[in-house]
Amino acid sequence: MIVDAVLELARDEPQSRFTFKSLGEALDVNPTAMYRHFRNRDAILRAALDRLFSMALEEATASDAPLDWRPRLERYLHTLIEVFIKYPSIGCDAFATDTFGQGELHCIEFVLGCLRDAGLSGDRLVHYYGALESYTLGHGSGIAQEVLAKPSSDGHEPWLQAVAVASVSGFPLIEEHRDRLLRLDGLNVFSAGLSAILDSAEREGTR
Amino acid sequence: MIVDAVLELARDEPQSRFTFKSLGEALDVNPTAMYRHFRNRDAILRAALDRLFSMALEEATASDAPLDWRPRLERYLHTLIEVFIKYPSIGCDAFATDTFGQGELHCIEFVLGCLRDAGLSGDRLVHYYGALESYTLGHGSGIAQEVLAKPSSDGHEPWLQAVAVASVSGFPLIEEHRDRLLRLDGLNVFSAGLSAILDSAEREGTR
DNA sequence: ACCTGAACACCGTTCAAGT
DNA sequence: ACCTGAACACCGTTCAAGT
């Protein structure tokens, strides 16, 4: 299948976006032959991204023990963002792309189920669904973009290189928290925001 | 200044990423002349993005009445994301790009100040700084990407077109919440997550 | 039914040449 | 000091031609 080759390519060449040319070489075929199977590059992207959703959900739910809603949700969202980072040239479009596929639908259903188990319903359930999904997709695609652009980055690069380089005199708060700010990276910052959203959801659900 | 032309171009042609060619036409000059003033495209992008940070902070703080920390922060973050959407070809790289500029530093200082006024300090203050900043940048650049890619989109497009089109039988929760899910768009979903993070910050700060 | 090859319009970037 | 023009390597996409 072509999608397999795209995924393999995205994983093995994390620095460069996948290309018809590279795809042709990987499959030992003429680059333009892809147009027999997909309408354009975007269609390939959507198919591959939907597979990433499926992979993340499968990996996160293939658990030994049944989990409570919150660790279940945390595990899935962390797995999802890790998958995006692992396949940067696909993950980088995770926010802006609707896959229209089964993988994404299964993921939506899964998140809704977790939030239902948290005690939420109706508008508030969908409210938190939107918050969690958009946060994870926005953050994941952003880190994937970084990995794609910057040499040898893996989501654990310092997040605020500007603070390290630039003169921060005249910015007393930045100066005061300089070391702490430099300790931030893409993934622990993600955990920070995720905890905050889940805290709010949990409070509202158990009320 | 070249940056002015880039911004003008980004605003007036929201569907297409800015280009040396388009920039040359706008300034009535040879496209390659830019290389006399910037090392490459990325340097132009960083300069323009830093200006967006400055513009957002200026617009958000040019207030009549002094505000409490939370409305002050909300106003700034909403302004920031709106600016990204207004200049899509620059905003789309907001997450992955470090500007190394003054505008970004002023914004960091501003957010840290709001969180200090919320009663936070030390690690927890930086924790919430990371959560808020990454959430806004990730979401903003994601919506900007959408605007750039999809014809006549403005951040208020339905967020889950897949749910509208695909068959959702076999997904009982999606089916149950279908209408609510379709009402989600990029900007109200942003507000949802932002409130959740700020709620957590407020609770922790007043404790 | 599927693949190939040539072609097209479009990128960012370099560099020697102009003024 | 700044700009021009040609050139290069690289994109996605189309289409007539092959098997």
PDB file of all heavy atoms in Angstrom, chain A residues 145-181:
ATOM      1  N   GLN A 145       6.196  20.485  13.150  1.00  0.00           N
ATOM      2  CA  GLN A 145       6.784  21.509  12.280  1.00  0.00           C
ATOM      3  C   GLN A 145       8.208  21.848  12.705  1.00  0.00           C
ATOM      4  O   GLN A 145       9.096  22.021  11.876  1.00  0.00           O
ATOM      5  CB  GLN A 145       5.940  22.786  12.345  1.00  0.00           C
ATOM      6  CG  GLN A 145       4.834  22.872  11.331  1.00  0.00           C
ATOM      7  CD  GLN A 145       4.081  24.197  11.467  1.00  0.00           C
ATOM      8  OE1 GLN A 145       3.077  24.265  12.169  1.00  0.00           O
ATOM      9  NE2 GLN A 145       4.568  25.231  10.817  1.00  0.00           N
ATOM     10  N   GLU A 146       8.395  21.968  14.013  1.00  0.00           N
ATOM     11  CA  GLU A 146       9.740  22.249  14.531  1.00  0.00           C
ATOM     12  C   GLU A 146      10.719  21.160  14.161  1.00  0.00           C
ATOM     13  O   GLU A 146      11.820  21.431  13.684  1.00  0.00           O
ATOM     14  CB  GLU A 146       9.695  22.377  16.059  1.00  0.00           C
ATOM     15  CG  GLU A 146       9.210  23.712  16.572  1.00  0.00           C
ATOM     16  CD  GLU A 146       9.308  23.791  18.087  1.00  0.00           C
ATOM     17  OE1 GLU A 146       9.903  22.867  18.695  1.00  0.00           O
ATOM     18  OE2 GLU A 146       8.788  24.750  18.659  1.00  0.00           O
ATOM     19  N   VAL A 147      10.307  19.912  14.393  1.00  0.00           N
ATOM     20  CA  VAL A 147      11.176  18.782  14.074  1.00  0.00           C
ATOM     21  C   VAL A 147      11.535  18.794  12.594  1.00  0.00           C
ATOM     22  O   VAL A 147      12.669  18.530  12.201  1.00  0.00           O
ATOM     23  CB  VAL A 147      10.497  17.454  14.441  1.00  0.00           C
ATOM     24  CG1 VAL A 147      11.330  16.273  13.985  1.00  0.00           C
ATOM     25  CG2 VAL A 147      10.254  17.374  15.939  1.00  0.00           C
ATOM     26  N   LEU A 148      10.542  19.137  11.787  1.00  0.00           N
ATOM     27  CA  LEU A 148      10.726  19.159  10.342  1.00  0.00           C
ATOM     28  C   LEU A 148      11.721  20.242   9.930  1.00  0.00           C
ATOM     29  O   LEU A 148      12.542  20.062   9.028  1.00  0.00           O
ATOM     30  CB  LEU A 148       9.373  19.441   9.685  1.00  0.00           C
ATOM     31  CG  LEU A 148       9.080  18.910   8.298  1.00  0.00           C
ATOM     32  CD1 LEU A 148       9.396  17.436   8.225  1.00  0.00           C
ATOM     33  CD2 LEU A 148       7.618  19.136   7.987  1.00  0.00           C
ATOM     34  N   ALA A 149      11.658  21.379  10.619  1.00  0.00           N
ATOM     35  CA  ALA A 149      12.458  22.531  10.209  1.00  0.00           C
ATOM     36  C   ALA A 149      13.850  22.541  10.825  1.00  0.00           C
ATOM     37  O   ALA A 149      14.824  22.872  10.143  1.00  0.00           O
ATOM     38  CB  ALA A 149      11.727  23.814  10.576  1.00  0.00           C
ATOM     39  N   LYS A 150      13.940  22.159  12.087  1.00  0.00           N
ATOM     40  CA  LYS A 150      15.213  22.305  12.790  1.00  0.00           C
ATOM     41  C   LYS A 150      15.998  21.007  12.795  1.00  0.00           C
ATOM     42  O   LYS A 150      15.447  19.947  13.041  1.00  0.00           O
ATOM     43  CB  LYS A 150      14.967  22.771  14.233  1.00  0.00           C
ATOM     44  CG  LYS A 150      14.413  24.179  14.295  1.00  0.00           C
ATOM     45  CD  LYS A 150      13.986  24.554  15.713  1.00  0.00           C
ATOM     46  CE  LYS A 150      13.234  25.880  15.696  1.00  0.00           C
ATOM     47  NZ  LYS A 150      12.536  26.141  16.972  1.00  0.00           N
ATOM     48  N   PRO A 151      17.280  21.093  12.534  1.00  0.00           N
ATOM     49  CA  PRO A 151      18.124  19.903  12.493  1.00  0.00           C
ATOM     50  C   PRO A 151      18.163  19.210  13.850  1.00  0.00           C
ATOM     51  O   PRO A 151      18.374  19.844  14.870  1.00  0.00           O
ATOM     52  CB  PRO A 151      19.499  20.455  12.126  1.00  0.00           C
ATOM     53  CG  PRO A 151      19.449  21.905  12.478  1.00  0.00           C
ATOM     54  CD  PRO A 151      18.036  22.323  12.315  1.00  0.00           C
ATOM     55  N   SER A 152      17.921  17.911  13.843  1.00  0.00           N
ATOM     56  CA  SER A 152      18.027  17.059  15.032  1.00  0.00           C
ATOM     57  C   SER A 152      17.260  17.610  16.219  1.00  0.00           C
ATOM     58  O   SER A 152      17.818  17.903  17.265  1.00  0.00           O
ATOM     59  CB  SER A 152      19.488  16.847  15.432  1.00  0.00           C
ATOM     60  OG  SER A 152      20.037  18.014  15.993  1.00  0.00           O
ATOM     61  N   SER A 153      15.946  17.767  16.025  1.00  0.00           N
ATOM     62  CA  SER A 153      15.067  18.183  17.104  1.00  0.00           C
ATOM     63  C   SER A 153      14.090  17.050  17.348  1.00  0.00           C
ATOM     64  O   SER A 153      13.725  16.313  16.439  1.00  0.00           O
ATOM     65  CB  SER A 153      14.346  19.463  16.693  1.00  0.00           C
ATOM     66  OG  SER A 153      13.151  19.618  17.389  1.00  0.00           O
ATOM     67  N   ASP A 154      13.639  16.871  18.580  1.00  0.00           N
ATOM     68  CA  ASP A 154      12.788  15.724  18.885  1.00  0.00           C
ATOM     69  C   ASP A 154      11.664  16.071  19.852  1.00  0.00           C
ATOM     70  O   ASP A 154      11.095  15.197  20.495  1.00  0.00           O
ATOM     71  CB  ASP A 154      13.630  14.596  19.476  1.00  0.00           C
ATOM     72  CG  ASP A 154      14.294  15.045  20.778  1.00  0.00           C
ATOM     73  OD1 ASP A 154      14.261  16.255  21.067  1.00  0.00           O
ATOM     74  OD2 ASP A 154      14.832  14.194  21.495  1.00  0.00           O
ATOM     75  N   GLY A 155      11.337  17.362  19.971  1.00  0.00           N
ATOM     76  CA  GLY A 155      10.278  17.752  20.888  1.00  0.00           C
ATOM     77  C   GLY A 155      10.804  18.099  22.268  1.00  0.00           C
ATOM     78  O   GLY A 155      10.068  18.585  23.110  1.00  0.00           O
ATOM     79  N   HIS A 156      12.083  17.812  22.483  1.00  0.00           N
ATOM     80  CA  HIS A 156      12.670  18.114  23.795  1.00  0.00           C
ATOM     81  C   HIS A 156      13.689  19.249  23.713  1.00  0.00           C
ATOM     82  O   HIS A 156      14.498  19.441  24.619  1.00  0.00           O
ATOM     83  CB  HIS A 156      13.322  16.872  24.390  1.00  0.00           C
ATOM     84  CG  HIS A 156      12.336  15.946  25.034  1.00  0.00           C
ATOM     85  ND1 HIS A 156      11.577  16.303  26.112  1.00  0.00           N
ATOM     86  CD2 HIS A 156      11.967  14.685  24.722  1.00  0.00           C
ATOM     87  CE1 HIS A 156      10.799  15.288  26.448  1.00  0.00           C
ATOM     88  NE2 HIS A 156      10.992  14.304  25.615  1.00  0.00           N
ATOM     89  N   GLU A 157      13.637  19.977  22.607  1.00  0.00           N
ATOM     90  CA  GLU A 157      14.502  21.145  22.493  1.00  0.00           C
ATOM     91  C   GLU A 157      13.982  22.242  23.411  1.00  0.00           C
ATOM     92  O   GLU A 157      12.780  22.340  23.633  1.00  0.00           O
ATOM     93  CB  GLU A 157      14.480  21.675  21.055  1.00  0.00           C
ATOM     94  CG  GLU A 157      14.908  20.656  20.031  1.00  0.00           C
ATOM     95  CD  GLU A 157      16.348  20.261  20.223  1.00  0.00           C
ATOM     96  OE1 GLU A 157      17.209  21.124  20.080  1.00  0.00           O
ATOM     97  OE2 GLU A 157      16.611  19.081  20.546  1.00  0.00           O
ATOM     98  N   PRO A 158      14.884  23.056  23.945  1.00  0.00           N
ATOM     99  CA  PRO A 158      14.398  24.202  24.728  1.00  0.00           C
ATOM    100  C   PRO A 158      13.430  25.023  23.893  1.00  0.00           C
ATOM    101  O   PRO A 158      13.651  25.255  22.703  1.00  0.00           O
ATOM    102  CB  PRO A 158      15.661  24.976  25.067  1.00  0.00           C
ATOM    103  CG  PRO A 158      16.702  24.459  24.130  1.00  0.00           C
ATOM    104  CD  PRO A 158      16.326  23.054  23.832  1.00  0.00           C
ATOM    105  N   TRP A 159      12.375  25.465  24.547  1.00  0.00           N
ATOM    106  CA  TRP A 159      11.278  26.039  23.801  1.00  0.00           C
ATOM    107  C   TRP A 159      11.493  27.517  23.517  1.00  0.00           C
ATOM    108  O   TRP A 159      10.942  28.076  22.583  1.00  0.00           O
ATOM    109  CB  TRP A 159       9.991  25.831  24.605  1.00  0.00           C
ATOM    110  CG  TRP A 159       8.779  25.940  23.794  1.00  0.00           C
ATOM    111  CD1 TRP A 159       8.490  25.241  22.659  1.00  0.00           C
ATOM    112  CD2 TRP A 159       7.679  26.812  24.009  1.00  0.00           C
ATOM    113  NE1 TRP A 159       7.282  25.626  22.173  1.00  0.00           N
ATOM    114  CE2 TRP A 159       6.761  26.586  22.981  1.00  0.00           C
ATOM    115  CE3 TRP A 159       7.383  27.752  24.979  1.00  0.00           C
ATOM    116  CZ2 TRP A 159       5.569  27.287  22.900  1.00  0.00           C
ATOM    117  CZ3 TRP A 159       6.193  28.428  24.887  1.00  0.00           C
ATOM    118  CH2 TRP A 159       5.303  28.196  23.860  1.00  0.00           C
ATOM    119  N   LEU A 160      12.309  28.145  24.319  1.00  0.00           N
ATOM    120  CA  LEU A 160      12.505  29.591  24.213  1.00  0.00           C
ATOM    121  C   LEU A 160      13.974  29.918  24.015  1.00  0.00           C
ATOM    122  O   LEU A 160      14.620  30.470  24.901  1.00  0.00           O
ATOM    123  CB  LEU A 160      11.996  30.280  25.482  1.00  0.00           C
ATOM    124  CG  LEU A 160      10.490  30.376  25.615  1.00  0.00           C
ATOM    125  CD1 LEU A 160      10.102  30.830  27.007  1.00  0.00           C
ATOM    126  CD2 LEU A 160       9.944  31.350  24.582  1.00  0.00           C
ATOM    127  N   GLN A 161      14.497  29.563  22.847  1.00  0.00           N
ATOM    128  CA  GLN A 161      15.909  29.825  22.604  1.00  0.00           C
ATOM    129  C   GLN A 161      16.205  31.310  22.611  1.00  0.00           C
ATOM    130  O   GLN A 161      17.313  31.739  22.917  1.00  0.00           O
ATOM    131  CB  GLN A 161      16.315  29.182  21.274  1.00  0.00           C
ATOM    132  CG  GLN A 161      16.206  27.664  21.325  1.00  0.00           C
ATOM    133  CD  GLN A 161      16.367  27.021  19.966  1.00  0.00           C
ATOM    134  OE1 GLN A 161      16.432  27.700  18.954  1.00  0.00           O
ATOM    135  NE2 GLN A 161      16.418  25.709  19.954  1.00  0.00           N
ATOM    136  N   ALA A 162      15.184  32.102  22.295  1.00  0.00           N
ATOM    137  CA  ALA A 162      15.370  33.554  22.281  1.00  0.00           C
ATOM    138  C   ALA A 162      15.847  34.052  23.643  1.00  0.00           C
ATOM    139  O   ALA A 162      16.738  34.899  23.734  1.00  0.00           O
ATOM    140  CB  ALA A 162      14.061  34.252  21.899  1.00  0.00           C
ATOM    141  N   VAL A 163      15.262  33.503  24.696  1.00  0.00           N
ATOM    142  CA  VAL A 163      15.610  33.939  26.048  1.00  0.00           C
ATOM    143  C   VAL A 163      17.063  33.603  26.362  1.00  0.00           C
ATOM    144  O   VAL A 163      17.737  34.315  27.115  1.00  0.00           O
ATOM    145  CB  VAL A 163      14.660  33.272  27.074  1.00  0.00           C
ATOM    146  CG1 VAL A 163      15.075  33.618  28.491  1.00  0.00           C
ATOM    147  CG2 VAL A 163      13.235  33.714  26.824  1.00  0.00           C
ATOM    148  N   ALA A 164      17.542  32.525  25.779  1.00  0.00           N
ATOM    149  CA  ALA A 164      18.927  32.124  26.035  1.00  0.00           C
ATOM    150  C   ALA A 164      19.905  33.058  25.351  1.00  0.00           C
ATOM    151  O   ALA A 164      20.977  33.357  25.884  1.00  0.00           O
ATOM    152  CB  ALA A 164      19.151  30.692  25.556  1.00  0.00           C
ATOM    153  N   VAL A 165      19.529  33.519  24.179  1.00  0.00           N
ATOM    154  CA  VAL A 165      20.463  34.283  23.355  1.00  0.00           C
ATOM    155  C   VAL A 165      20.359  35.790  23.600  1.00  0.00           C
ATOM    156  O   VAL A 165      21.348  36.468  23.847  1.00  0.00           O
ATOM    157  CB  VAL A 165      20.217  33.995  21.855  1.00  0.00           C
ATOM    158  CG1 VAL A 165      21.084  34.884  20.982  1.00  0.00           C
ATOM    159  CG2 VAL A 165      20.461  32.520  21.569  1.00  0.00           C
ATOM    160  N   ALA A 166      19.120  36.288  23.548  1.00  0.00           N
ATOM    161  CA  ALA A 166      18.925  37.737  23.575  1.00  0.00           C
ATOM    162  C   ALA A 166      19.246  38.336  24.939  1.00  0.00           C
ATOM    163  O   ALA A 166      19.265  37.637  25.959  1.00  0.00           O
ATOM    164  CB  ALA A 166      17.487  38.069  23.196  1.00  0.00           C
ATOM    165  N   SER A 167      19.493  39.592  24.928  1.00  0.00           N
ATOM    166  CA  SER A 167      19.666  40.310  26.190  1.00  0.00           C
ATOM    167  C   SER A 167      18.317  40.523  26.832  1.00  0.00           C
ATOM    168  O   SER A 167      17.389  41.041  26.216  1.00  0.00           O
ATOM    169  CB  SER A 167      20.327  41.662  25.913  1.00  0.00           C
ATOM    170  OG  SER A 167      20.035  42.565  26.960  1.00  0.00           O
ATOM    171  N   VAL A 168      18.175  40.100  28.080  1.00  0.00           N
ATOM    172  CA  VAL A 168      16.885  40.201  28.743  1.00  0.00           C
ATOM    173  C   VAL A 168      16.869  41.323  29.779  1.00  0.00           C
ATOM    174  O   VAL A 168      15.958  41.395  30.596  1.00  0.00           O
ATOM    175  CB  VAL A 168      16.487  38.868  29.409  1.00  0.00           C
ATOM    176  CG1 VAL A 168      16.272  37.809  28.350  1.00  0.00           C
ATOM    177  CG2 VAL A 168      17.536  38.438  30.413  1.00  0.00           C
ATOM    178  N   SER A 169      17.876  42.176  29.731  1.00  0.00           N
ATOM    179  CA  SER A 169      17.835  43.326  30.642  1.00  0.00           C
ATOM    180  C   SER A 169      16.707  44.245  30.177  1.00  0.00           C
ATOM    181  O   SER A 169      16.488  44.433  28.982  1.00  0.00           O
ATOM    182  CB  SER A 169      19.165  44.065  30.623  1.00  0.00           C
ATOM    183  OG  SER A 169      19.379  44.652  29.364  1.00  0.00           O
ATOM    184  N   GLY A 170      15.990  44.797  31.141  1.00  0.00           N
ATOM    185  CA  GLY A 170      14.811  45.584  30.802  1.00  0.00           C
ATOM    186  C   GLY A 170      13.558  44.741  30.857  1.00  0.00           C
ATOM    187  O   GLY A 170      12.465  45.250  30.660  1.00  0.00           O
ATOM    188  N   PHE A 171      13.735  43.422  31.090  1.00  0.00           N
ATOM    189  CA  PHE A 171      12.591  42.527  31.257  1.00  0.00           C
ATOM    190  C   PHE A 171      12.753  41.807  32.594  1.00  0.00           C
ATOM    191  O   PHE A 171      13.184  40.648  32.627  1.00  0.00           O
ATOM    192  CB  PHE A 171      12.506  41.534  30.105  1.00  0.00           C
ATOM    193  CG  PHE A 171      12.386  42.173  28.748  1.00  0.00           C
ATOM    194  CD1 PHE A 171      13.511  42.353  27.952  1.00  0.00           C
ATOM    195  CD2 PHE A 171      11.159  42.600  28.275  1.00  0.00           C
ATOM    196  CE1 PHE A 171      13.406  42.951  26.710  1.00  0.00           C
ATOM    197  CE2 PHE A 171      11.048  43.190  27.023  1.00  0.00           C
ATOM    198  CZ  PHE A 171      12.173  43.380  26.240  1.00  0.00           C
ATOM    199  N   PRO A 172      12.404  42.463  33.679  1.00  0.00           N
ATOM    200  CA  PRO A 172      12.722  41.929  35.015  1.00  0.00           C
ATOM    201  C   PRO A 172      12.139  40.553  35.291  1.00  0.00           C
ATOM    202  O   PRO A 172      12.807  39.712  35.896  1.00  0.00           O
ATOM    203  CB  PRO A 172      12.132  42.991  35.961  1.00  0.00           C
ATOM    204  CG  PRO A 172      11.204  43.802  35.132  1.00  0.00           C
ATOM    205  CD  PRO A 172      11.726  43.766  33.751  1.00  0.00           C
ATOM    206  N   LEU A 173      10.899  40.306  34.819  1.00  0.00           N
ATOM    207  CA  LEU A 173      10.288  39.003  35.102  1.00  0.00           C
ATOM    208  C   LEU A 173      10.954  37.894  34.309  1.00  0.00           C
ATOM    209  O   LEU A 173      11.145  36.785  34.804  1.00  0.00           O
ATOM    210  CB  LEU A 173       8.779  39.055  34.809  1.00  0.00           C
ATOM    211  CG  LEU A 173       7.971  39.891  35.815  1.00  0.00           C
ATOM    212  CD1 LEU A 173       6.553  40.093  35.327  1.00  0.00           C
ATOM    213  CD2 LEU A 173       7.982  39.228  37.178  1.00  0.00           C
ATOM    214  N   ILE A 174      11.296  38.198  33.057  1.00  0.00           N
ATOM    215  CA  ILE A 174      12.017  37.197  32.267  1.00  0.00           C
ATOM    216  C   ILE A 174      13.355  36.896  32.926  1.00  0.00           C
ATOM    217  O   ILE A 174      13.776  35.742  33.033  1.00  0.00           O
ATOM    218  CB  ILE A 174      12.239  37.698  30.821  1.00  0.00           C
ATOM    219  CG1 ILE A 174      10.899  37.888  30.117  1.00  0.00           C
ATOM    220  CG2 ILE A 174      13.111  36.721  30.048  1.00  0.00           C
ATOM    221  CD1 ILE A 174      11.024  38.370  28.686  1.00  0.00           C
ATOM    222  N   GLU A 175      14.007  37.960  33.390  1.00  0.00           N
ATOM    223  CA  GLU A 175      15.304  37.789  34.041  1.00  0.00           C
ATOM    224  C   GLU A 175      15.166  36.915  35.286  1.00  0.00           C
ATOM    225  O   GLU A 175      15.957  35.991  35.497  1.00  0.00           O
ATOM    226  CB  GLU A 175      15.848  39.178  34.424  1.00  0.00           C
ATOM    227  CG  GLU A 175      17.361  39.269  34.388  1.00  0.00           C
ATOM    228  CD  GLU A 175      17.846  40.716  34.420  1.00  0.00           C
ATOM    229  OE1 GLU A 175      17.013  41.654  34.351  1.00  0.00           O
ATOM    230  OE2 GLU A 175      19.063  40.907  34.541  1.00  0.00           O
ATOM    231  N   GLU A 176      14.137  37.212  36.070  1.00  0.00           N
ATOM    232  CA  GLU A 176      13.944  36.466  37.314  1.00  0.00           C
ATOM    233  C   GLU A 176      13.710  34.981  37.052  1.00  0.00           C
ATOM    234  O   GLU A 176      14.203  34.127  37.786  1.00  0.00           O
ATOM    235  CB  GLU A 176      12.745  37.061  38.083  1.00  0.00           C
ATOM    236  CG  GLU A 176      12.462  36.382  39.411  1.00  0.00           C
ATOM    237  CD  GLU A 176      11.158  36.889  40.039  1.00  0.00           C
ATOM    238  OE1 GLU A 176      10.655  37.951  39.608  1.00  0.00           O
ATOM    239  OE2 GLU A 176      10.641  36.205  40.939  1.00  0.00           O
ATOM    240  N   HIS A 177      12.934  34.680  35.991  1.00  0.00           N
ATOM    241  CA  HIS A 177      12.555  33.289  35.736  1.00  0.00           C
ATOM    242  C   HIS A 177      13.339  32.669  34.579  1.00  0.00           C
ATOM    243  O   HIS A 177      12.926  31.648  34.032  1.00  0.00           O
ATOM    244  CB  HIS A 177      11.052  33.207  35.447  1.00  0.00           C
ATOM    245  CG  HIS A 177      10.198  33.619  36.593  1.00  0.00           C
ATOM    246  ND1 HIS A 177       9.681  34.895  36.720  1.00  0.00           N
ATOM    247  CD2 HIS A 177       9.791  32.946  37.701  1.00  0.00           C
ATOM    248  CE1 HIS A 177       8.963  34.971  37.833  1.00  0.00           C
ATOM    249  NE2 HIS A 177       9.025  33.816  38.453  1.00  0.00           N
ATOM    250  N   ARG A 178      14.432  33.290  34.231  1.00  0.00           N
ATOM    251  CA  ARG A 178      15.194  32.871  33.052  1.00  0.00           C
ATOM    252  C   ARG A 178      15.487  31.362  33.046  1.00  0.00           C
ATOM    253  O   ARG A 178      15.190  30.667  32.066  1.00  0.00           O
ATOM    254  CB  ARG A 178      16.503  33.654  32.994  1.00  0.00           C
ATOM    255  CG  ARG A 178      17.270  33.480  31.712  1.00  0.00           C
ATOM    256  CD  ARG A 178      18.453  34.441  31.643  1.00  0.00           C
ATOM    257  NE  ARG A 178      19.197  34.255  30.402  1.00  0.00           N
ATOM    258  CZ  ARG A 178      20.101  33.294  30.241  1.00  0.00           C
ATOM    259  NH1 ARG A 178      20.367  32.479  31.219  1.00  0.00           N
ATOM    260  NH2 ARG A 178      20.721  33.159  29.066  1.00  0.00           N
ATOM    261  N   ASP A 179      16.056  30.855  34.118  1.00  0.00           N
ATOM    262  CA  ASP A 179      16.423  29.447  34.154  1.00  0.00           C
ATOM    263  C   ASP A 179      15.212  28.541  34.022  1.00  0.00           C
ATOM    264  O   ASP A 179      15.241  27.528  33.311  1.00  0.00           O
ATOM    265  CB  ASP A 179      17.164  29.137  35.460  1.00  0.00           C
ATOM    266  CG  ASP A 179      18.529  29.819  35.484  1.00  0.00           C
ATOM    267  OD1 ASP A 179      19.005  30.215  34.400  1.00  0.00           O
ATOM    268  OD2 ASP A 179      19.098  29.967  36.581  1.00  0.00           O
ATOM    269  N   ARG A 180      14.148  28.924  34.712  1.00  0.00           N
ATOM    270  CA  ARG A 180      12.922  28.120  34.620  1.00  0.00           C
ATOM    271  C   ARG A 180      12.374  28.129  33.192  1.00  0.00           C
ATOM    272  O   ARG A 180      11.922  27.104  32.685  1.00  0.00           O
ATOM    273  CB  ARG A 180      11.871  28.667  35.584  1.00  0.00           C
ATOM    274  CG  ARG A 180      12.002  28.114  37.001  1.00  0.00           C
ATOM    275  CD  ARG A 180      10.837  28.544  37.870  1.00  0.00           C
ATOM    276  NE  ARG A 180      11.080  29.863  38.445  1.00  0.00           N
ATOM    277  CZ  ARG A 180      11.551  30.070  39.660  1.00  0.00           C
ATOM    278  NH1 ARG A 180      11.813  29.063  40.441  1.00  0.00           N
ATOM    279  NH2 ARG A 180      11.760  31.298  40.115  1.00  0.00           N
ATOM    280  N   LEU A 181      12.394  29.290  32.553  1.00  0.00           N
ATOM    281  CA  LEU A 181      11.883  29.396  31.186  1.00  0.00           C
ATOM    282  C   LEU A 181      12.709  28.537  30.229  1.00  0.00           C
ATOM    283  O   LEU A 181      12.170  27.918  29.310  1.00  0.00           O
ATOM    284  CB  LEU A 181      11.897  30.859  30.721  1.00  0.00           C
ATOM    285  CG  LEU A 181      10.855  31.769  31.378  1.00  0.00           C
ATOM    286  CD1 LEU A 181      11.157  33.238  31.085  1.00  0.00           C
ATOM    287  CD2 LEU A 181       9.451  31.410  30.904  1.00  0.00           C
TER     288      LEU A 181
END
